[in-house]
Amino acid sequence: MKVLLRDNSYDIIFASLSEIRNYIDIPAKTKILILSSPKIAKLYYPKLIASFKKDCHTFLYNLPPGEKTKTLTSVEKVYTFLIQNNFSRNDLIIALGGGVIGDLAGFIAATYLRGINYLQAPTTLLAQVDSAVAGKTGVNHPLGKNLIGACYQPRLVLIDKTTLSTLPQTELRSGLAEVIKYALIKDHRFFKQLEDDLTISNKMIAKCCLLKARIVQKDEKENNLRIILNFGHTIAHMLEAYTGYKRFFHGEAVALGMLAAAYISMKRNQLSAQDYQRIKKLITRANLPVKIDFKINFQRAKKIMLHDKKVKTNKLHFVLLRRIGDTSIANDIPWELVQDSLQNLK
Ligand SMILES: NC(=O)c1ccc[n+]([C@@H]2O[C@H](COP(=O)([O-])OP(=O)(O)OC[C@H]3O[C@@H](n4cnc5c(N)ncnc54)[C@H](O)[C@@H]3O)[C@@H](O)[C@H]2O)c1
Ligand SMILES: [Zn+2]
């Protein structure tokens, strides 16, 4: 399956990693750096490079797994490797991994020699439906996540769904939260399909890629449309920060955040109680949490939320639902209502 992103310079291809050579046009002797981490490389590097073996020079650079790797220190190490191996602007970087490897590889590609070609081969559901699409790349700074970055498009995104077979269930569920998010913000029909069948398929992933790409492309014309991608993330970011990024997988925090935002939408008489229940039911069916199983100190939660970089005044900014598949933006949510929505997660 091929998903062509109109007005955009690259394709999203659904194919086996071993076929990647068929989809890119590179001259013989091109140097290719595959950026990955040990576990993923062990599983998929041989398959990925099989078709390049005859005429290209492939190099593997492994970084430790996890968010702590997404730093300028890692970036500098990879620059050194590229320079020592004489990589030129005509050579290529391939990201083989989840969002961490993808964001890092994209940032390195954007900045090394002011831009070198790169491809994304995402191996987590989250990366396939979210981070590999739309060209946001970057790394963390000790003072905050994703603060350093660049917009830089890959030449190609190749999605091999079979890589998800080795992904831990918790990571899969985490990606599913983002899948549900796309349906909630933009596509009622897609939501209904998920209610019928939550099995991960190429069709499901492609739908998410298209929805994200459409939102991002339209954003260039309609300012701030992109903000709806933050649905559920206002409270999710607070919960992640509140628990020191240790207690929740991102998708779990997003599931709780989406439910809280749906609750606020209902209390503002936008979303029907029936739709709220449908949302809760689907999140439960995806084995994502609908309850917070620890005591929240509301004062601490409030402090974190008011310091979030997305908050401009003391009023809280939220993406809400008008109904399933349609959003509205509110800049005037009082803290009491947010607290009420958190209380409801008990
Ligand atoms: N650029 C964007 O637009 C964007 C959007 C959303 C998220 N992100 C970023 O994405 C990152 C999170 O990405 P993620 O959820 O993919 O996490 P991740 O990259 O940390 O991967 C999760 C874990 O799964 C392992 N793994 C990956 N693929 C595997 C496979 N096929 N089999 C077995 N194990 C595998 C990884 O080694 C890691 O331990 C965050 O840094 C976030 O900021 C970026
Ligand atoms: Zn997210």
Side-chain angles (χ1 to χ4, degrees):
M1 186 179 354
K2 178 169 168 168
V3 177
L4 197 65
L5 298 184
R6 215 167 351 120
D7 297 335
N8 223 326
S9 49
Y10 68 95
D11 295 345
I12 299 178
I13 302 283
F14 290 80
S16 164
L17 286 175
S18 61
E19 294 166 14
I20 194 164
R21 186 77 173 90
N22 301 342
Y23 299 101
I24 45 161
D25 188 16
I26 46 168
K29 301 225 171 1
T30 299
K31 287 180 189 154
I32 305 173
L33 176 76
I34 286 104
L35 199 67
S36 195
S37 45
K39 188 169 97 181
I40 307 167
K42 195 165 175 223
L43 288 163
Y44 302 113
Y45 176 71
K47 197 173 173 188
L48 179 72
I49 60 156
S51 60
F52 291 118
K53 265 191 176 152
K54 271 187 248 128
D55 60 338
C56 296
H57 300 296
T58 51
F59 301 75
L60 173 64
Y61 196 102
N62 273 331
L63 286 160
E67 194 66 32
K68 60 187 181 306
T69 270
K70 227 176 87 170
T71 62
L72 283 172
T73 311
S74 303
V75 171
E76 197 168 357
K77 284 183 189 158
V78 180
Y79 287 153
T80 305
F81 185 87
L82 291 167
I83 296 165
Q84 282 172 342
N85 288 287
N86 296 314
F87 269 68
S88 77
R89 290 204 66 189
N90 301 321
D91 293 321
L92 183 68
I93 294 177
I94 302 180
L96 175 67
V100 164
I101 293 296
D103 279 11
L104 252 176
F107 184 72
I108 292 164
T111 47
Y112 179 69
L113 302 178
R114 293 182 206 87
I116 147 171
N117 291 323
Y118 88 110
L119 314 182
Q120 292 268 15
T123 62
T124 65
L125 182 59
L126 181 124
Q128 295 180 354
V129 300
D130 191 352
S131 62
V133 187
K136 270 214 276 181
T137 76
V139 295
N140 302 325
H141 184 275
L143 297 181
K145 285 184 75 176
N146 295 323
L147 293 180
I148 318 293
C151 284
Y152 194 63
Q153 306 292 354
R155 288 261 304 271
L156 171 82
V157 178
L158 184 128
I159 296 178
D160 182 343
K161 188 178 75 76
T162 65
T163 58
L164 302 182
S165 64
T166 53
L167 194 64
Q169 281 298 320
T170 39
E171 297 287 353
L172 265 185
R173 284 205 295 272
S174 196
L176 261 186
E178 306 285 351
V179 173
I180 294 172
K181 179 190 80 177
Y182 290 118
L184 282 175
I185 59 175
K186 212 64 193 149
D187 198 325
H188 185 216
R189 232 182 93 200
F190 184 35
F191 189 87
K192 275 195 188 149
Q193 285 163 6
L194 297 178
E195 285 182 314
D196 288 343
D197 187 5
L198 263 176
T199 316
I200 293 156
S201 63
N202 280 342
K203 208 173 141 205
M204 174 200 270
I205 298 167
K207 184 86 207 168
C208 296
C209 293
L210 276 175
L211 286 169
K212 178 165 184 187
R214 251 185 238 147
I215 291 166
V216 173
Q217 278 166 23
K218 255 189 159 179
D219 185 67
E220 282 153 27
K221 291 161 213 138
E222 268 171 64
N223 242 347
N224 270 341
L225 179 66
R226 196 178 182 136
I227 216 165
I228 69 173
L229 291 168
N230 276 333
F231 176 68
H233 283 62
T234 316
I235 283 179
H237 289 152
M238 180 276 287
L239 289 172
E240 289 178 310
Y242 188 98
T243 53
Y245 297 90
K246 289 195 179 84
R247 191 168 188 126
F248 295 112
F249 279 88
H250 177 65
E252 293 175 331
V254 170
L256 291 164
M258 291 194 297
L259 202 58
Y263 179 87
I264 294 171
S265 311
M266 181 174 69
K267 287 289 160 186
R268 299 250 298 191
N269 294 323
Q270 296 188 191
L271 187 75
S272 70
Q274 194 191 6
D275 277 356
Y276 174 82
Q277 289 305 333
R278 281 174 73 191
I279 295 167
K280 189 170 177 182
K281 200 166 157 196
L282 188 62
I283 292 175
T284 309
R285 270 194 43 221
N287 281 319
L288 286 159
V290 289
K291 296 232 171 294
I292 296 177
D293 56 0
F294 57 92
K295 198 169 174 334
I296 276 211
N297 175 328
F298 290 123
Q299 279 317 308
R300 226 187 108 209
K302 181 179 178 185
K303 218 171 157 191
I304 294 173
M305 287 192 78
L306 291 172
H307 280 95
D308 189 298
K309 62 182 174 190
K310 281 164 201 98
V311 178
K312 292 192 189 97
T313 64
N314 266 2
K315 296 271 167 55
L316 286 150
H317 192 112
F318 265 84
V319 182
L320 298 178
L321 293 178
R322 250 194 266 272
R323 62 186 83 83
I324 292 172
D326 193 13
T327 52
S328 67
I329 310 290
N331 300 311
D332 58 347
I333 302 295
W335 167 255
E336 291 68 30
L337 185 50
V338 178
Q339 184 168 320
D340 191 17
S341 76
L342 291 171
Q343 197 93 50
N344 180 56
L345 296 174
K346 292 254 155 187

